């Protein structure tokens, strides 16, 4: 069954209340989002670690590659453009980085802190083709804004 985003947002908001540590918040969001929907096979963060470089952060699922430059992959595209990337077929995305051979579709959102500071990206992989919609983008974006927007 697909996730109910308002309910998920309320659960995460309650768990995150009063917390300002970025890694603790990322770990909580990755865990709760991952277990909220069977479509989600890999769920996690890549953090901005330097000019045009992302490094892996808290995640759930199999091994994720450790470093992604802004000019590579779906994560790099989200970081570079500051826009949500919804990929219906990862094999059709030029430069897709396959951390798992079973991934068929993906959504990646930029994560912004206070003043629009790019903190990193939030990545969800699915073994189902065309698993993500704009409703997922809206629901996840609202959660990320609520948790990280004031950091
Ligand atoms: N698929 C991502 C790389 C991260 S792994 O999926 C966890 C990309 O193309 O940027």
């Amino acid at each position: 069954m697909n996730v109910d985003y308002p309910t998920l947002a309320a659960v995460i908001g309650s768990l995150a209340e009063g917390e300002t540590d970025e890694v603790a918040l990322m770990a909580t969001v990755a865990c709760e989002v991952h277990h909220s929907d069977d479509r989600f096979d890999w769920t996690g963060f890549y953090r901005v670690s330097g000019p045009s470089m992302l490094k892996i952060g808290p995640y759930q699922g199999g091994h994720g590659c450790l470093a992604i430059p802004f000019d590579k992959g779906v994560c790099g595209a989200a970081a570079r453009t500051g826009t949500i990337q919804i990929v219906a077929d990862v094999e059709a995305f030029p430069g897709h980085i396959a951390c798992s051979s079973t991934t068929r579709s993906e959504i990646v959102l930029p994560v912004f802190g206070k003043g629009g500071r790019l903190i990193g990206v939030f990545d969800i992989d699915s073994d189902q083709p065309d698993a993500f919609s704009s409703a997922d983008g809206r629901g996840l974006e609202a959660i990320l804004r609520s948790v990280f927007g004031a950091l």
Side-chain angles (χ1 to χ4, degrees):
M1 183 176 74
N2 285 12
V3 55
D4 172 69
Y5 282 110
T7 301
L8 178 61
V11 168
I12 291 174
S14 171
L15 292 169
E17 189 169 4
E19 185 55 65
T20 59
D21 180 85
E22 203 171 278
V23 174
L25 291 169
M26 287 180 171
T28 302
V29 170
C31 176
E32 292 303 316
V33 171
H34 186 70
H35 294 292
S36 71
D37 194 308
D38 292 342
R39 291 176 294 161
F40 304 163
D41 295 297
W42 193 96
T43 309
F45 290 86
Y46 282 86
R47 300 160 298 115
V48 175
S49 64
S52 303
M53 181 56 74
L54 296 165
K55 290 285 176 78
I56 200 160
Y59 67 93
Q60 302 265 325
H63 168 73
C65 57
L66 273 62
I68 300 178
F70 278 30
D71 63 353
K72 297 272 188 295
V74 185
C75 292
R80 191 169 62 245
T81 65
T83 62
I84 299 173
Q85 306 290 312
I86 295 178
V87 181
D89 174 6
V90 296
E91 293 184 3
F93 187 94
H96 170 256
I97 300 169
C99 292
S100 166
S101 60
T102 60
T103 298
R104 292 290 169 269
S105 59
E106 184 165 5
I107 185 170
V108 184
L109 299 91
V111 182
F112 299 107
K114 203 170 189 176
R117 173 177 68 98
L118 184 70
I119 293 175
V121 299
F122 185 57
D123 180 15
I124 306 178
D125 294 343
S126 181
D127 291 352
Q128 301 172 29
D130 199 11
F132 302 102
S133 69
S134 55
D136 291 298
R138 288 191 300 274
L140 293 166
E141 188 177 50
I143 290 170
L144 294 170
R145 187 183 313 114
S146 170
V147 174
F148 298 99
L151 292 189

